[in-house]
Amino acid sequence: MRRDRAADAADGHPVLRLRERSGQRDVEACVGVLASVHKADGYPVDWPPVPGEWLEGSGGLGAWVAELDGRVVGHVGLSRPGAGDEAPDLWGGDAGRGGAGVVSRLFVAPDARGHGIGALLMGRVVREARARGLHPVLDVVSSDTAAAALYERLGWRLLGIVEQEWDPGRRITLHCYAAPAASG
């Protein structure tokens, strides 16, 4: 993002800002965005019974939102590995789970795409994970090809493809990724 865009919207360019998610108002705004993403893209695959709780997740280390002209339009979270997270095991086995930070709940409003918001949110969460001494990893359902394409454009490495049984007789294929090694 160019600094002059953030400083002055008078030139007609949208103002984009990333910040920590804060309070119930942000959660409610994110749930609204998530509903539009679910309708357009089918993410999340299953609409959660209590979307705000799903969004906040468990083992959360932090969450960030993107605002475009003052409106929440995107979200990403970082958490410790939990049940069902496959990428931490593929990245480093049992010993690696403790050194992994799981990127999750990434979404951008359909009407706000094309501004690089997804990449900016990914950059923010990767910096946070690394600041905590964690290596960023994530799982994505195989049907979410746009997300997988973003991760690959950003240099994330496919660790493997696994299947999980989400319900009896319902198998879901996940692609597991790890962030590129930190440059330093």
Side-chain angles (χ1 to χ4, degrees):
M1 177 176 68
R2 290 185 3 222
R3 284 181 60 150
D4 56 344
R5 284 191 184 180
D8 184 10
D11 63 3
H13 293 341
V15 175
L16 178 60
R17 181 178 143 200
L18 300 182
R19 60 174 177 78
E20 284 189 68
R21 187 186 70 209
S22 175
Q24 191 59 31
R25 177 173 272 168
D26 275 354
V27 171
E28 290 170 5
C30 287
V31 168
V33 173
L34 184 63
S36 68
V37 169
H38 180 71
K39 183 177 179 181
D41 305 328
Y43 176 83
V45 172
D46 296 323
W47 186 253
V50 185
E53 289 179 12
W54 177 86
L55 184 66
E56 291 178 314
S58 62
L61 297 173
W64 297 267
V65 296
E67 289 182 335
L68 190 60
D69 289 338
R71 178 177 64 102
V72 171
V73 295
H75 179 274
V76 69
L78 178 67
S79 63
R80 297 228 176 257
D85 290 325
E86 299 284 351
D89 292 332
L90 293 176
W91 175 69
D94 290 337
R97 283 186 80 80
V102 177
V103 176
S104 63
R105 314 301 197 249
L106 172 68
F107 54 90
V108 176
D111 66 349
R113 293 177 185 164
H115 297 281
I117 295 169
L120 289 170
L121 285 165
M122 288 297 290
R124 177 63 183 95
V125 74
V126 165
R127 283 191 306 279
E128 181 65 25
R130 290 190 170 136
R132 292 171 178 265
L134 302 172
H135 190 87
V137 298
L138 60 84
D139 299 335
V140 61
V141 294
S142 62
S143 60
D144 198 346
T145 56
L150 170 67
Y151 308 141
E152 291 173 11
R153 269 194 321 273
L154 295 175
W156 285 58
R157 180 174 56 95
L158 180 65
L159 299 170
I161 299 172
V162 299
E163 285 194 357
Q164 283 186 344
E165 187 167 2
W166 282 13
D167 296 312
R170 181 176 173 221
R171 299 196 65 76
I172 301 293
T173 302
L174 300 173
H175 291 207
C176 305
Y177 286 90
S183 57

